[in-house]
Amino acid sequence: MAEYDFDVLVIGSGPGGYVAAIRAAQLGLRTACAEARETLGGTCLNVGCIPSKALLNASEKFHEAASGALAKHGVKLGSVELDLPAMMADKDKAVTGLTGGIEFLFKKNKVEWVKGLATFIDAHTVQVGDPSTGSGRTVTAKNIVIATGSSVTPLPGVEIDQKIIVDSTGAIALEKVPGHLVVIGGGVIGLELGSVWGRLGAQVTVVEFLDQLLPGMDGEVRKEAGRIFKKQGMEIKLSTKVTGVSVNGGKASVTVEPAKGGTAETIEADAVLVSIGRRPNTDGLGLDKIDITPNQRGQIETDHSFRTKVDGVWAIGDVIPGPMLAHKAEDEGIAVAENIAGLTGIVNHDIIPSVVYTHPEIAGVGLTEEQAKERGEIRVGKFPMAGNSRAKAIDDTTGWVKVIADAKTDRVLGAWIITSVAGTMIAQVAQAMEFGATSEDIAYTCHAHPTHNEAIKEAAMGVNGKPIHV
Ligand code: FAD
Ligand code: NAD
């Protein structure tokens, strides 16, 4: 009889956990995955990436039709109406299809789904069940992967009721378009979901503590993003902090003041979205039983192989340091399974693209211009989408591409793109960087015409010379 029930037990079935479980099973390991939610797929599939992108797409279609923007392309429409329940149902269908897809993949790969909340008893034993009733089952595994993800960071003193004061989960399920939506936090969630409701007719005010939107992104990108969203009608209050939110008679009053202190002001709103970041999920996991203490940011520390300090216990995804992104979690899921199987699983944390799925999309990979300058001499090539023939042909010329290269070696250090399909384009630069490409390598690669990606080639040409089309 085997010493353990499983070779691998993964806790959490988000993009980190489900990918780790499937890869481990593919490598011949007896694998189970504990998940407390009713459906598999974690934050990303249930309440994150997928429903938000479904709504971004649907709201963009509505806005294009309702704003009359299609008329100049020769598409004349009669009256356009919003059917919000239908839009939400369509979004829910996308979620159900994908979460059900993971269940199918688990069955196909013989990964057992152990339903319930997992709590460590010791480093190889976990209780999985419903802590409120004490029901459940004890599962043992030679290796346990913590992939418990993250949850919304609360704003002290502000209670989320998911009706008037919502977090991202409430904001993807509002029953009507708010007249005025105040978004607290001008990061990725605030701008994506603010865009959704703005396109559907809400007046949107974004309150951001810092002096620019989108912390962590390239400085020029952050400034340009501010200009673009303002032009789209969002009111953006930078260097402003929220000091309180109260609800009265179905309306919210948001009190704000300058981040450095000063005169307070009250903003009336029909809905308030709290999107000030996310924090790792470690509560109730019983980490004390295995002598793991999260760091100051609540994250579980690992080495480059995703081993924690406890033998047989590994961790990946949002619960460990690094950007809280689904593709980062997925890559770590594959790597941890390969490491457990005795192979060499590596994730290059220097080359993880990030994308904001607004219109236009905003994407980046590698170093920002500021970070690159700090490391040494650089050269920068920039190309406006207004010079790109495809963008011109489809009247989609907002934005630009910036390629940053080392001045001595010409090696590409980073790239930043603002345009409608930036999220798809950035993969090209990520791959080039992964292969150690120089800007010259990109500039001398033949790109199909007419494509948005030609703007990357032209920006790369600009690093050491001149682009053709400006
Ligand atoms: P999660 O997806 O959070 O999954 C963890 C799972 O573990 C959860 O299902 C949870 O129920 C379960 N769990 C936790 N504790 C236990 C326990 N003790 N026992 C059993 N189960 C447990 N990222 C992108 O890259 N692109 C995007 O477009 C994008 N959009 C987003 C939009 C929104 C609105 C949000 C909120 C997030 C978005 N993200 C996006 C971030 C992305 O969702 C996360 O980075 C990703 O889901 C992290 O994956 P994970 O596997 O680490 O954890
Ligand atoms: P974020 O960290 O992107 O942005 C939070 C913003 O809130 C920051 O700009 C911060 O300065 C601001 N802030 C913090 N406290 C504040 C306060 N009291 N008042 C005003 N502003 C305040 O966090 P998020 O937008 O909540 O997203 C959480 C995570 O989810 C991110 O790490 C992101 O990586 C991930 N996510 C990714 C995508 C994507 O990849 N497209 C989409 C959504 C979410």
Side-chain angles (χ1 to χ4, degrees), residues 329-343:
E330 285 189 53
D331 285 7
E332 290 176 350
I334 290 177
V336 79
E338 292 182 348
N339 288 327
I340 290 171
L343 306 172

Side-chain angles (χ1 to χ4, degrees), residues 83-215:
D83 182 348
L84 189 59
M87 195 180 275
M88 289 293 171
D90 198 41
K91 172 242 343 173
D92 293 340
K93 198 171 142 210
V95 169
T96 318
L98 283 165
T99 56
I102 306 300
E103 208 171 331
F104 164 78
L105 289 175
F106 270 15
K107 284 189 187 130
K108 186 176 163 201
N109 288 284
K110 300 193 172 45
V111 174
E112 187 179 330
W113 174 7
V114 188
K115 296 185 184 181
L117 193 83
T119 308
F120 277 99
I121 293 172
D122 63 41
H124 297 284
T125 315
V126 160
Q127 173 75 15
V128 187
D130 180 351
S132 65
T133 59
S135 63
R137 139 182 187 204
T138 302
V139 179
T140 62
K142 186 168 182 204
N143 296 280
I144 298 182
V145 181
I146 304 171
T148 49
S150 63
S151 307
V152 177
T153 305
L155 184 58
V158 178
E159 202 175 315
I160 307 281
D161 60 21
Q162 298 299 29
K163 285 197 161 57
I164 294 172
I165 306 181
V166 295
D167 59 18
S168 55
T169 301
I172 54 166
L174 291 177
E175 284 171 6
K176 61 176 200 244
V177 180
H180 185 200
L181 172 69
V182 170
V183 174
I184 308 178
V188 198
I189 292 183
L191 293 172
E192 288 188 354
L193 296 181
S195 292
V196 165
W197 293 107
R199 290 167 191 171
L200 298 182
Q203 180 201 336
V204 178
T205 303
V206 178
V207 182
E208 167 57 49
F209 185 80
L210 300 173
D211 62 353
Q212 293 294 344
L213 302 170
L214 296 171

Side-chain angles (χ1 to χ4, degrees), residues 215-421:
M217 291 207 148
D218 181 87
E220 210 176 350
V221 165
R222 297 176 69 188
K223 277 194 200 129
E224 186 75 40
R227 279 194 285 269
I228 289 170
F229 295 119
K230 261 188 212 153
K231 211 167 150 197
Q232 290 179 3
M234 277 188 196
E235 188 179 347
I236 296 173
K237 289 181 166 295
L238 298 173
S239 305
T240 306
K241 67 179 174 202
V242 171
T243 51
V245 184
S246 60
V247 176
N248 206 339
K251 295 246 178 200
S253 299
V254 184
T255 316
V256 300
E257 63 179 49
K260 288 183 184 151
T263 314
E265 156 194 13
T266 302
I267 311 171
E268 302 300 327
D270 301 284
V272 177
L273 165 60
V274 179
S275 50
I276 58 165
R278 294 179 59 84
R279 59 180 188 186
N281 287 333
T282 53
D283 285 355
L285 198 52
L287 288 180
D288 50 324
K289 298 273 173 46
I290 56 170
D291 203 20
I292 288 182
T293 310
N295 67 17
Q296 277 192 324
R297 305 189 64 186
Q299 300 155 328
I300 298 175
E301 300 273 0
T302 69
D303 66 11
H304 290 308
S305 308
F306 308 104
R307 280 187 180 83
T308 67
K309 66 172 206 170
V310 178
D311 208 27
V313 180
W314 311 68
I316 56 168
D318 280 10
V319 80
I320 71 168
M324 288 183 164
L325 294 171
H327 40 283
K328 177 243 186 203
E330 285 189 53
D331 285 7
E332 290 176 350
I334 290 177
V336 79
E338 292 182 348
N339 288 327
I340 290 171
L343 306 172
T344 306
I346 295 169
V347 176
N348 182 356
H349 285 102
D350 291 336
I351 305 180
I352 294 183
S354 62
V355 182
V356 189
Y357 295 87
T358 45
H359 186 88
E361 291 180 350
I362 300 170
V365 66
L367 301 181
T368 64
E369 193 172 336
E370 296 76 24
Q371 290 167 334
K373 269 185 189 147
E374 262 176 35
R375 297 204 187 174
E377 216 185 313
I378 57 166
R379 279 179 210 255
V380 176
K382 209 172 150 195
F383 187 78
M385 293 313 292
N388 174 270
S389 55
R390 179 64 173 273
K392 269 199 127 36
I394 62 169
D395 193 20
D396 179 32
T397 52
T398 305
W400 37 258
V401 176
K402 171 155 96 171
V403 173
I404 304 160
D406 184 288
K408 287 195 193 78
T409 63
D410 192 35
R411 207 167 158 157
V412 178
L413 302 174
W416 295 87
I417 307 178
I418 302 180
T419 187
S420 57
V421 287

